[in-house]
């Protein structure tokens, strides 16, 4: 089973910031702060970010690609 299939099965097509922080073993606030910086990490992960209204989600396919890439 691929990383993408596992993420889609567990979270669905979109991961919330809380879901992503749980997956990466980080606190939601720590992840939020990291994503606001200009680091290489932030640039890559912000590319997977999608806003729906005021909520922030991350596409499972993009997250799987970033995990497999590292």
């Amino acid at each position: 089973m691929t990383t993408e299939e596992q993420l889609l099965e567990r979270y669905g097509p979109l991961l919330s910031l809380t879901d992503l922080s749980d997956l990466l073993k980080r606190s939601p606030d720590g992840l939020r702060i990291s994503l606001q910086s200009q680091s290489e990490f932030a640039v890559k992960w912000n590319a997977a970010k999608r806003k729906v209204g005021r909520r922030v989600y991350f596409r499972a396919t993009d997250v799987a690609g970033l995990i497999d890439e590292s």
Side-chain angles (χ1 to χ4, degrees):
M1 184 177 259
T2 66
T3 306
E4 182 179 355
E5 290 170 343
Q6 291 177 1
L7 289 177
L8 288 170
E9 183 179 311
R10 183 170 180 187
Y11 299 106
L14 296 173
L15 285 79
S16 68
L17 186 74
T18 305
D19 294 337
L20 184 62
S21 67
D22 181 49
L23 179 69
L24 298 176
K25 306 282 191 245
R26 300 182 71 166
S27 71
D29 288 336
L31 180 59
R32 188 177 294 112
I33 290 168
S34 294
L35 291 173
Q36 291 175 352
S37 70
Q38 297 300 320
S39 67
E40 182 181 343
F41 171 85
V43 171
K44 286 182 178 181
W45 286 89
N46 281 326
K49 186 166 52 172
R50 301 290 181 259
K51 288 191 83 172
V52 179
R54 295 179 67 190
R55 297 177 188 260
V56 174
Y57 294 100
F58 297 83
R59 291 184 50 205
T61 54
D62 294 340
V63 171
L66 288 168
I67 290 172
D68 290 340
E69 177 183 302
S70 59

